[in-house]
Each structure stands twice: as structure tokens, then as C-alpha cells.
Amino acid sequence: MIPTQKGVLHGVRVLELGQVLAGPFAGAILADLGAEVVKVERVDGGDDARHMGPAFRHGDAHTFQVFNRGKQSVALDLKTEAGRAAFERLAAEADIFIHNLRPGVPRAMGIDGEAMCARHPRLIYCEISAFGHRGPMAQQPGYEPLIQAFSGLSSTNGGPGDPPMRSAASICDQGSGMWVVIGALALLQQRERTGRGGVLQTSLLETALVWNGQKADAYVNEGHLPARDRSGHPGFVPYEAFDAADAPLLICCGNDRLFAKLAQELGREDWISDARYATNRARLAHKDALLAELAPLLRQRTRAEWLQRFEATGVPCAPIHTVPEALAHPQVQALGMLSPVQGEDFSLTALPLSFDGVRPALQGAAPRLGAHNAAHGLPLPTIHTQETA
């Protein structure tokens, strides 16, 4: 694989034994940043994500392409002595090792953090689990929706009266991958001083608890949870979605100055001096009354008209886009987040980072199963796909 450009992590070697999303996402971030990422896969079908949905390219699902772009694939049978020896050689060459194997499997295979770091003292060992590395559920496996439900995250999505809802994005899986990258880079810096690596552990549950931390901390310290609101904020009014004549928009008045601008643009200067609405705390106490007056006014004009007027006067607002609308917007187009995949006929969303004004280019497509065995001096194994296994 020839990278399109040398990234900021050029020269860093990563070994990934990842499945589906959390571990592979961490590897994909590091690959986008220029690290050499070698993905170790089972010979019997490889990463399960290859088959999560219909074939997209080269027989693999779209999800696999998203979370494994820019990597190399080595297929090994870790149940054999030859496979384990090859894995150890790859680990000896790696700076960072990432896995999200089922709890108990690494120790049974002799590749737990303690054992690996004893054999490879400079290795930065990164482990992602579902429920965390200690506690009564440490050995439990788990998936994104289960963690969102278990952590309380689902219970805070949606509005009053709504059933618990999971986030459409896999925020626990992808967030855990992000924490691994942050922690691994911190340990790389520490290794510069000490010469030794270390063991990094995170989990989907810990990530979910952090994402819900503002609400959990309010409950712990104030004795109550913020009210659920589909689009709003418990601390500001008005700060939520409204219907214009033809389409919805979001208005966010984060202070009294912005509310005054909104009132003036709507021809309701009287709100500014009304004791019920003059301050944000007063508006919080009289939210229903204010929204009963505000909502009918906004339905009198189209969304485009309101956006033009509010943007001109500095009232924070935004259209509530569909995904196609968002992708077609000139601002999104200008950012260039969609990056063509070298040598392929499709594009993927790139990292939300730019270095000296340049976004890291995707380093290539996701690899075919076992495509890089020969490049690492390993014999080509007999590959068993799901269709032939």
C-alpha cells in the first residue's frame, strides 16, 4: 500500500486485532494520521464487519470500508503455533497494539496486557471492552444499543413522554475508539521519557457515562435530572426547534442580548421589558407562555425568510437538514470532508482535523482479507470466506 501523503504519525506502527467498530475505528483514525496499521484477521472470514450488510466493494460491506480504510490485512490462525509466532513477530515491531476482543479471550490466548508488555516492554497495549476492566460485569460482552440502554444514555434522549431512544450514531463504539487514540498518543509521549509502554483500558460503558456526564453530575450534585427535550436545552429559552411555514429550524438564544435581537426582529420589543421574559431565568420559569406566543409568529414565514433575517441580525439559527441537504450545503462542500479513496470509485468521510490547513488524506481502501501476508514475510494461508466456510 502506497500512502497518498506522509501523515503526522508517519513511522508509528500499529497492530490491530479489532472486530466490527470500536477497535477498528481507533485503527482507522491512526491510519488516516499516517501510521502503518496492520490488521490481524481470522482466516475464516476475517472481521465480522466484512459481512455486516450487502456487498459494497470487493465482496465486503460498506461498514468495513468505512472503519478499515488505509490498513493492511494479515490473516492468521492464532490457534496454531505458527500463527501465534507470526503474531508475536508483528507485536515486536509495533508501537501500539489495539484490540476489542471478548473479555477473557486475550488471557486465554496469552495476549493480555500484562503478558504482552512483559514480552514487549515498549508496547502500548490498548484494550476496549464493553463494561470495563473491573467490576461484576467485567466479563460481559456488549453491543452499542445495549450499552446506551444500560448506561442511562437512552433514557435521556428524546423529549417528555418519549420512550428511551438510542442515538442513531454509534457514539459509544466510536467514542471508545477516540479515547484509545488519545490515550495511546499520551503513552507514546510518556514512552519518550521512560522508554516503556503501558496498558491502556477503556470501555463502551465508560464512554457512555462520560457523554451523559452533564446530566449524571446534575443528578448527583443537585438531586434531579434536567428535563428531557427533543431539541432544546434545559438552561436556555428559547433554545430549540420550531416550525416555520414550510420547514423546521433551530433557534438558540444563549443569553439575554441574543433574545433581545430575536424579539426586535419579530416586532415584539415588549418582550424585552416584560418581567416574565426579560432574563433567561425568568424565561425558564415562563417557558410555556413564551413559546405559546413565539411559535405562531414563526409559522407565518418560510424557513428561508427567517434564516435570512435572523442571520443578518445575529440571531443564532440553523435549518434542520436531512443528510442529503447537509452534504449539499456550500459550507459542508467547502470543508471537503468527503475524501475520494485512492484507486477506488467511492468517497468516505475524512477526519475532522486539519494540520496547517490540510486535512489528512485517506491512505487507501480497506484491504482484502490476508492481502499483506506476503509483504510481512508470512505464508499465504488458506482463506475461508463466509460463503465457503
Side-chain angles (χ1 to χ4, degrees), residues 214 244 249 377:
Q214 185 180 17
L249 76 160

Side-chain angles (χ1 to χ4, degrees), residues 53-198:
F56 171 67
R57 293 292 187 278
H58 315 303
D60 295 320
H62 180 265
T63 293
F64 185 78
Q65 285 290 342
V66 171
F67 296 107
N68 293 280
R69 72 276 189 107
K71 300 178 186 178
Q72 303 175 25
S73 172
V74 168
L76 296 176
D77 185 351
L78 296 181
K79 296 178 182 178
T80 67
E81 184 176 342
R84 290 191 296 270
F87 176 82
E88 285 296 320
R89 182 163 66 78
L90 292 170
E93 298 169 350
D95 297 293
I96 299 168
F97 171 55
I98 299 168
H99 80 78
N100 60 329
L101 297 170
R102 293 192 313 277
V105 170
R107 186 170 295 279
M109 295 173 63
I111 59 171
D112 56 282
E114 182 180 2
M116 288 285 283
C117 288
R119 295 194 297 270
H120 311 288
R122 288 179 55 80
L123 184 66
I124 294 165
Y125 182 100
C126 304
E127 176 179 81
I128 304 172
S129 61
F131 289 93
H133 62 283
R134 59 171 170 254
M137 297 183 68
Q139 297 302 305
Q140 287 278 96
Y143 291 99
E144 175 78 29
L146 304 179
I147 300 300
Q148 288 197 26
F150 183 89
S151 66
L153 193 60
S154 296
S155 75
T156 59
N157 284 338
D162 288 336
M165 298 181 181
R166 67 158 288 183
S167 167
S170 295
I171 57 177
C172 302
D173 267 316
Q174 291 184 255
S176 297
M178 290 174 60
W179 292 124
V180 160
V181 172
I182 293 168
L185 295 179
L187 284 176
L188 271 178
Q189 180 66 21
Q190 176 178 273
R191 195 181 71 176
E192 288 293 309
R193 300 192 304 270
T194 67
R196 298 186 66 84

Side-chain angles (χ1 to χ4, degrees), residues 110-385:
I111 59 171
D112 56 282
E114 182 180 2
M116 288 285 283
C117 288
R119 295 194 297 270
H120 311 288
R122 288 179 55 80
L123 184 66
I124 294 165
Y125 182 100
C126 304
E127 176 179 81
I128 304 172
S129 61
F131 289 93
H133 62 283
R134 59 171 170 254
M137 297 183 68
Q139 297 302 305
Q140 287 278 96
Y143 291 99
E144 175 78 29
L146 304 179
I147 300 300
Q148 288 197 26
F150 183 89
S151 66
L153 193 60
S154 296
S155 75
T156 59
N157 284 338
D162 288 336
M165 298 181 181
R166 67 158 288 183
S167 167
S170 295
I171 57 177
C172 302
D173 267 316
Q174 291 184 255
S176 297
M178 290 174 60
W179 292 124
V180 160
V181 172
I182 293 168
L185 295 179
L187 284 176
L188 271 178
Q189 180 66 21
Q190 176 178 273
R191 195 181 71 176
E192 288 293 309
R193 300 192 304 270
T194 67
R196 298 186 66 84
V199 177
L200 174 69
Q201 295 159 315
T202 190
S203 67
L204 275 65
L205 177 57
E206 290 165 279
T207 297
L209 294 171
V210 166
W211 293 158
N212 224 26
Q214 185 180 17
K215 295 176 175 62
D217 292 349
Y219 172 73
V220 169
N221 295 294
E222 299 176 350
H224 64 85
L225 287 168
R228 295 174 73 195
D229 195 310
R230 292 184 186 91
S231 61
H233 191 285
F236 299 111
V237 173
Y239 201 99
E240 58 190 88
F242 297 93
D243 288 325
D246 60 341
L249 76 160
L250 201 72
I251 296 173
C252 296
C253 293
N255 56 50
D256 296 334
R257 298 183 303 279
L258 295 173
F259 175 72
K261 291 182 178 182
L262 175 68
Q264 290 165 353
E265 190 58 37
L266 293 171
R268 293 301 305 265
E269 288 86 352
D270 57 301
W271 286 350
I272 301 171
S273 57
D274 189 324
R276 297 174 301 164
Y277 309 147
T279 67
N280 183 61
R281 287 181 175 172
R283 292 192 296 277
L284 284 168
H286 298 90
K287 178 177 179 177
D288 291 344
L290 175 60
L291 297 192
E293 296 186 64
L294 174 57
L297 289 175
L298 293 170
R299 287 196 291 268
Q300 294 176 8
R301 297 180 182 273
T302 67
R303 181 170 73 180
E305 290 179 89
W306 285 128
L307 291 172
Q308 183 178 25
R309 292 176 60 172
F310 292 156
E311 288 172 359
T313 55
V315 176
C317 60
I320 299 177
H321 280 149
T322 63
V323 171
E325 287 173 334
L327 293 177
H329 194 278
Q331 178 59 31
V332 175
Q333 293 280 318
L335 287 171
M337 284 289 291
L338 278 175
S339 177
V341 178
Q342 186 181 28
E344 298 287 347
D345 61 350
F346 61 93
S347 298
L348 296 174
T349 302
L351 291 184
L353 301 167
S354 294
F355 297 92
D356 296 324
V358 178
R359 190 178 308 284
L362 302 186
Q363 300 297 296
R368 312 283 182 92
L369 178 59
H372 298 86
N373 277 51
H376 289 274
L378 301 172
L380 293 177
T382 301
I383 301 294
H384 304 286
T385 65

